Amino acid sequence: MAGETANEVFICESDAVAEGGRGVRFPVLAFGDAATGFVVRYDGKPHAYLNRCAHVPIELDWAEGEFFESSGLYLMCATHGAIYVPDSGLCAGGPCKGGRLRPIAVRELDDKIYWQPDEFIRPPQAK
Ligand code: FES
């Protein structure tokens, strides 16, 4: 596992996340609660966020892994339609305009995507 650092957590193979296509969800412990993160690909790069809308703290995807709206330019919350810029997580329209998604650091290495825990978002087994 050359180059992989000890605390990185494997999410999926790179080809599981196509540009503007379905995202991949992964379990996390966020601020002490069981939650999910997700990774999508935009502008060639993986971007990951906590799957929690900035409006009401519920999951965004309208069907499992479906985060992009039809143009493929924005992530959209299924509940009230807030749209988020995929590479910054900034809410560009909707009830939480000016808010943002909580980013999760990700890295793509050797055709695999990993996420990096931080102080508040941990792997689920880390209590
Ligand atoms: S819960 Fe996401 S826009 Fe309201």
Side-chain angles (χ1 to χ4, degrees):
M1 300 251 217
E4 183 191 346
T5 63
N7 64 346
E8 286 184 321
V9 184
F10 175 74
I11 303 174
C12 60
E13 304 290 331
S14 291
D15 61 9
V17 187
E19 179 77 26
R22 284 191 60 184
V24 172
R25 296 160 50 105
F26 53 93
V28 298
L29 202 62
F31 307 95
D33 295 327
T36 65
F38 68 95
V39 61
V40 292
R41 187 178 300 280
Y42 180 76
D43 211 11
K45 298 195 191 72
H47 299 276
Y49 299 98
L50 181 63
N51 192 2
R52 185 174 287 179
C53 188
H55 178 217
V56 178
I58 52 180
E59 296 190 344
L60 301 169
D61 36 347
W62 48 274
E64 185 164 325
E66 301 290 357
F67 295 97
F68 279 101
E69 42 74 66
S70 55
S71 75
L73 296 177
Y74 293 100
L75 306 175
M76 190 172 78
C77 175
T79 303
H80 309 111
I83 54 171
Y84 294 94
V85 181
D87 54 0
S88 66
L90 212 58
C91 179
C96 44
K97 192 162 193 284
R100 65 190 313 157
L101 299 174
R102 171 60 158 79
I104 297 175
V106 277
R107 198 157 75 106
E108 191 160 33
L109 185 76
D110 297 336
D111 297 323
K112 294 177 174 31
I113 302 175
Y114 301 86
W115 69 277
Q116 296 162 344
D118 58 36
E119 195 181 345
F120 302 110
I121 301 189
R122 315 287 311 164
Q125 68 273 19
K127 291 281 187 292

